[in-house]
């Protein structure tokens, strides 16, 4: 009787999965239906939930996202409006990380999406005419980008380092300066959230320094 081989079984399971066209199978499913299917699978195979959690803890493939955007905007020469659907897809991915309370991955994705968007807008030097379908598409994208930045920063770890928050503030501030002449003020709420966190961090640092606590000794009456 042959002993079981975990590696061989894993390889067999992997091959079994490859026999299915997952893109074809999942295409008709909404997010809600996918969640329901996943919940049923976990209920039937509870031992597999740890594998799911392990996958969810992995860092997002930021380099891959960056390279895909670079390929579209530089190598393929797509205009920013043509690239918006792909950029939007990645912003929604950042929102999913938000829902999973993984702000580190969410903000990393936002940074790698925002930079090429800003660069493309600076190069283009204009936005579509007000009232056009293209302008509506652009405005919808900007709202999604801004609100996702704000929610990610609002939910981010309060223990984030001062250097990290300051770098984000400088980055978004520069984007705001560059884009304001083209499309008006942008990232206002995100910058306010960062400013609030930086101020709170400075206050906490000040209170933790020796000699900063108010004295509890009573003063002798004169």
């Amino acid at each position: 009787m042959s002993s079981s081989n975990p590696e061989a079984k894993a390889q067999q399971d992997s091959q079994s999965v490859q026999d299915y066209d997952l893109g074809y199978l999942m295409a008709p499913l909404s997010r809600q239906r996918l969640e329901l299917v996943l919940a049923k699978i976990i209920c039937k195979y509870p031992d597999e939930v740890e594998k799911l959690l392990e996958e969810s803890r992995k860092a997002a493939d930021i380099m891959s996202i960056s390279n895909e955007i670079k390929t579209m905007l530089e190598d393929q020469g797509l205009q920013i409006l043509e690239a918006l659907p792909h950029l939007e897809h990645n912003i929604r991915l950042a929102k999913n990380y938000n829902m999973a309370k993984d702000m580190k991955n969410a903000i990393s994705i936002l940074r790698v999406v925002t930079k090429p968007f800003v660069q493309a807008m600076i190069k283009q030097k204009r936005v579509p005419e007000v009232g056009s379908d293209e302008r509506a598409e652009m405005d919808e994208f900007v709202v999604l980008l801004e609100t996702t930045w704000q929610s990610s920063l609002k939910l981010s770890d309060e223990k984030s380092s001062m250097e990290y928050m300051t770098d984000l503030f400088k980055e978004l501030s520069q984007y705001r300066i560059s884009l304001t002449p083209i499309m008006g003020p942008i990232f206002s709420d995100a910058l306010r959230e960062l400013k609030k966190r930086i101020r709170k961090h400075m206050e906490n640092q000040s209170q933790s320094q020796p000699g900063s606590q108010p004295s509890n000794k009573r003063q002798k009456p004169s």
Side-chain angles (χ1 to χ4, degrees), residues 126-164:
R126 63 180 182 83
V127 292
E129 293 292 330
V130 176
S132 66
D133 292 341
E134 291 82 4
R135 180 59 179 268
E137 186 179 352
M138 176 70 73
D139 289 346
E140 184 178 343
F141 172 82
V142 170
V143 168
L144 176 64
L145 180 62
E146 285 192 288
T147 55
T148 307
W149 261 111
Q150 183 188 6
S151 60
S152 297
L153 292 169
K154 200 165 189 177
L155 295 170
S156 62
D157 189 355
E158 292 188 0
K159 295 180 181 179
S160 298
S161 71
M162 185 71 166
E163 182 182 2
Y164 176 70

Side-chain angles (χ1 to χ4, degrees), residues 34-53:
L34 278 171
E35 288 176 349
L36 180 60
V37 170
L38 185 58
K40 287 181 177 179
I41 292 173
I42 291 173
C43 184
K44 188 172 182 179
Y45 305 102
D47 293 342
E48 301 301 312
V49 70
E50 186 57 38
K51 291 182 181 178
L52 177 64
L53 292 173

